[in-house]
Amino acid sequence: MNKNRPVHLDLRLIKLPLPGFVSILHRVSGLLLFLALPLFLRMLQYSLFSIETYTQLVAVLRHPLSKLILISLLWAFLHHLCAGIRYLAIDMHIGVGLAQARASSKWVLFVSLGLTLLIGAWLW
């Protein structure tokens, strides 16, 4: 048995490769979307209940903090979508090489952030 193995593994010192980082962000974005489901359902309920609740919802959504939260949820959706398409391609054995995986990870980050900025600027 090798006695030179580390006793304590410090996870903060490990440099994660870009595909691993995209994988973790995919999980985090999925969790954010799942946790935001009650918020989305409540907003749908307020928008459909009456004109008064709709105008209250619109007033709340015009607040800059609400816009920031919605833009972050928009990023979560777009990143989860782009990374999900990447993983579907990997499941079909497309882009499984190291260079292709790194390139597709860069594209996922670029496209999800770019679409978030584009749609967020249009909605702001």
Side-chain angles (χ1 to χ4, degrees):
M1 181 183 265
N2 187 359
K3 298 287 183 179
N4 294 330
R5 292 179 26 179
V7 177
H8 174 68
L9 182 63
D10 193 359
L11 295 176
R12 295 173 293 157
L13 299 177
I14 296 176
K15 185 171 178 356
L16 197 62
L18 189 60
F21 185 66
V22 168
S23 175
I24 289 174
L25 285 178
H26 180 71
R27 293 168 191 240
V28 168
S29 64
L31 179 68
L32 283 175
L33 291 172
F34 176 74
L35 293 176
L37 275 176
L39 173 69
F40 290 144
L41 291 174
R42 179 65 76 168
M43 287 174 18
L44 179 65
Q45 179 185 10
Y46 280 173
S47 69
L48 297 176
F49 188 68
S50 69
I51 191 68
E52 291 84 15
T53 58
Y54 175 76
T55 54
Q56 289 173 355
L57 176 66
V58 168
V60 168
L61 292 179
R62 286 193 176 146
H63 193 273
L65 184 62
S66 297
K67 288 182 180 184
L68 187 63
I69 291 170
L70 288 177
I71 286 176
S72 64
L73 290 173
L74 175 67
W75 167 83
F77 171 72
L78 291 171
H79 179 80
H80 200 74
L81 177 71
C82 292
I85 292 170
R86 176 181 178 262
Y87 291 128
L88 285 174
I90 289 173
D91 286 344
M92 293 186 296
H93 303 290
I94 300 170
V96 294
L98 182 60
Q100 295 169 337
R102 286 182 179 160
S104 65
S105 296
K106 289 177 187 176
W107 275 105
V108 164
L109 290 175
F110 177 74
V111 169
S112 65
L113 287 174
L115 285 175
T116 301
L117 291 174
L118 186 69
I119 295 171
W122 180 66
L123 292 176
W124 195 271

